[in-house]
Amino acid sequence: MTDIVSDSVSGDRLNRLLKFLAMDEANLALLADAADAAFTARQTGLAAELLDRYAALTSLPPELRNLAALIALAEERFDDAAGHLGHLRADGIDNPQVRFNLAWSLSMIGRHAEAADLLNDEAIAASPRGPTLKVQALHHLGDLDAALSEGRRLVERYDNDQALLGALAILAMDADDFAFARLCAERAADSPQGLAALGMLALDEGDANAAIPLFDRALARQKSNPRAQIGKGLALLTNGKPAAAAEFLEAGAAHFRNHLGSWIAAGWAYLVADDLERARAMFERTREIDETFSEGHGGLAVLAFMTGDLAEAEKRSEIALRLDRECLGGALAKIMLLEAQGETAKAARIRDIALKTPLGANGKTLLQGLTIMNAKGRNMLSSLRNNH
């Protein structure tokens, strides 16, 4: 995405053009120049308004449609940006910068396959973010071998790209190539992505105390780094600080938006912290994203048990285990229902079991399952299946 630069000269130019435009409101050349000046002065709302006035008089020429796309990108209106840039390509304007900006827009609205297809070598080279975007788009598509192959190729060309190395570290963890993950993370140790990856590697090795400072350093460099937020939340949960953990986990989940495992982790942290209202909101969020995600039902089953609604707990656990017989939350609810024999157990006892009871064929606890799922960047189902 092209950066916007503001200075006093651009502000003076804008003011001058607006004065002329006030005397000749339908002057297309003045509208175009004023929109460009407003954009340069970082007044994107005004720039968009001026382009709307232009479009009300006649169709936008290619250079102004491109400007409209840049304004939309600056305002994070990615659907609008994709529309403008797609229109440009349909009109035969298909240069590397347009392709990169369109790929960026599409990736921001979850259309990763289209984004990856657009990112040829020329489009990748059009922006410092190009190599990372290509790897992340392929990563999102789930073909880890193809993503790693492309990542290895790109890192030979962009050998000191910290963001690319950080993205490759996370990708390699998902692909269970921990040696390559560590190599990339250590080479990117001055970036928030690399630090977050190193923290996740420490967490995967069970060393929460080593992980937390790494996540803190990542967050000091990038306050909203979701991987570091999730990682710190899991580390705090491991260290018995569920209330603080829940806040970091929810913040990371909000940035990831549709990453089911992050919402589940936040739900469990709130439940362990005895904030049942927030826990319910987290579990319900997973159902909004995907009604067939077993762990959302499993979490609600345990929550129902904790609040004494045994019929609802039974119903939710049955749904969870029908969707996935290895669902951690569903299995936990079943254990609680069997142990209670119709009696509601104390909340403290359930919270303890929630963290410590081995579940599944490999004996992993719920907390271990959450940690694995988030450390590898996967949803809980695929992560646990790979570990059975």
Side-chain angles (χ1 to χ4, degrees):
M1 186 174 65
T2 302
D3 289 332
I4 308 170
V5 179
S6 177
D7 55 37
S8 59
V9 173
S10 64
D12 291 342
R13 175 175 174 251
L14 173 60
N15 290 331
R16 185 169 61 254
L17 288 167
L18 290 175
K19 288 178 182 178
F20 290 136
L21 192 57
M23 295 182 286
D24 189 0
E25 295 182 353
N27 187 311
L28 294 177
L30 282 174
L31 282 168
D33 288 346
D36 178 73
F39 178 75
T40 303
R42 300 187 182 225
Q43 296 191 38
T44 56
L46 175 58
E49 178 188 334
L50 291 165
L51 288 185
D52 286 343
R53 287 170 57 184
Y54 190 111
L57 298 170
T58 187
S59 59
L60 295 175
E63 62 272 16
L64 292 187
R65 188 169 291 280
N66 186 62
L67 178 58
L70 295 177
I71 292 167
L73 283 169
E75 295 182 340
E76 299 186 353
R77 294 183 286 107
F78 299 112
D79 279 305
D80 290 341
H84 287 301
L85 293 162
H87 195 290
L88 283 176
R89 292 191 72 229
D91 286 346
I93 300 171
D94 191 25
N95 61 58
Q97 189 65 59
V98 167
R99 291 174 71 93
F100 171 79
N101 284 343
L102 180 54
W104 181 271
S105 303
L106 292 171
S107 70
M108 292 299 103
I109 55 177
R111 292 163 61 180
H112 302 292
E114 295 168 80
D117 288 342
L118 284 164
L119 289 168
N120 58 16
D121 283 348
E122 291 76 18
I124 289 171
S127 169
R129 300 179 179 182
T132 303
L133 184 62
K134 178 74 172 189
V135 167
Q136 290 175 333
L138 292 172
H139 191 172
H140 276 290
L141 295 176
D143 188 343
L144 302 186
D145 290 338
L148 265 181
S149 177
E150 178 67 2
R152 289 178 185 275
R153 184 184 76 85
L154 288 171
V155 83
E156 289 181 2
R157 182 175 178 183
Y158 303 96
D159 60 347
N160 196 36
D161 187 325
Q162 295 282 292
L164 172 61
L165 287 163
L168 272 175
I170 298 299
L171 168 62
M173 289 180 68
D174 281 8
D176 294 329
D177 189 343
F178 289 96
F180 186 56
R182 183 169 294 282
L183 175 65
C184 291
E186 288 175 348
R187 290 178 61 189
D190 289 332
S191 72
Q193 297 88 349
L195 288 164
L198 287 171
M200 283 295 184
L201 286 166
L203 198 58
D204 185 74
E205 294 168 354
D207 194 343
N209 291 329
I212 288 174
L214 292 164
F215 294 132
D216 284 341
R217 288 170 60 195
L219 292 169
R221 287 167 170 77
Q222 184 185 8
K223 184 178 180 180
S224 61
N225 184 296
R227 187 78 59 172
Q229 289 171 324
I230 294 292
K232 183 168 181 180
L234 290 168
L236 290 170
L237 190 58
T238 301
N239 283 352
K241 299 176 180 178
E247 293 182 8
F248 280 99
L249 289 165
E250 183 178 0
H255 281 103
F256 276 135
R257 291 183 289 188
N258 292 334
H259 185 245
L260 292 163
S262 299
W263 290 109
I264 284 293
W268 282 108
Y270 277 121
L271 187 146
V272 173
D274 208 23
D275 188 341
L276 303 190
E277 182 178 349
R278 293 303 302 158
R280 183 180 300 280
M282 301 298 101
F283 295 141
E284 290 288 2
R285 176 66 182 131
T286 70
R287 293 182 60 211
E288 293 171 8
I289 298 168
D290 184 357
E291 178 66 27
T292 67
F293 183 56
S294 66
E295 293 298 341
H297 294 281
L300 288 169
V302 173
L303 188 60
F305 184 90
M306 290 185 69
T307 55
D309 191 344
L310 301 188
E312 178 68 8
E314 182 70 39
K315 173 187 171 183
R316 288 291 172 195
S317 64
E318 291 291 345
I319 293 172
L321 293 170
R322 185 168 65 247
L323 290 168
D324 178 14
R325 63 184 179 83
E326 295 170 351
C327 170
L328 289 179
L332 176 61
K334 273 292 185 185
I335 291 171
M336 297 297 92
L337 286 163
L338 289 172
E339 287 189 351
Q341 296 179 343
E343 299 290 335
T344 303
K346 297 292 185 182
R349 170 171 161 73
I350 297 171
R351 290 197 297 272
D352 184 61
I353 293 173
L355 292 180
K356 298 179 181 178
T357 299
L359 303 170
N362 66 352
K364 292 193 180 297
T365 66
L366 176 64
L367 179 56
Q368 289 170 326
L370 292 172
T371 302
I372 291 168
M373 169 270 299
N374 278 284
K376 294 188 174 182
R378 302 174 180 165
N379 67 50
M380 187 175 291
L381 291 178
S382 63
S383 176
L384 291 174
R385 283 172 180 158
N386 287 338
N387 281 278
H388 281 305

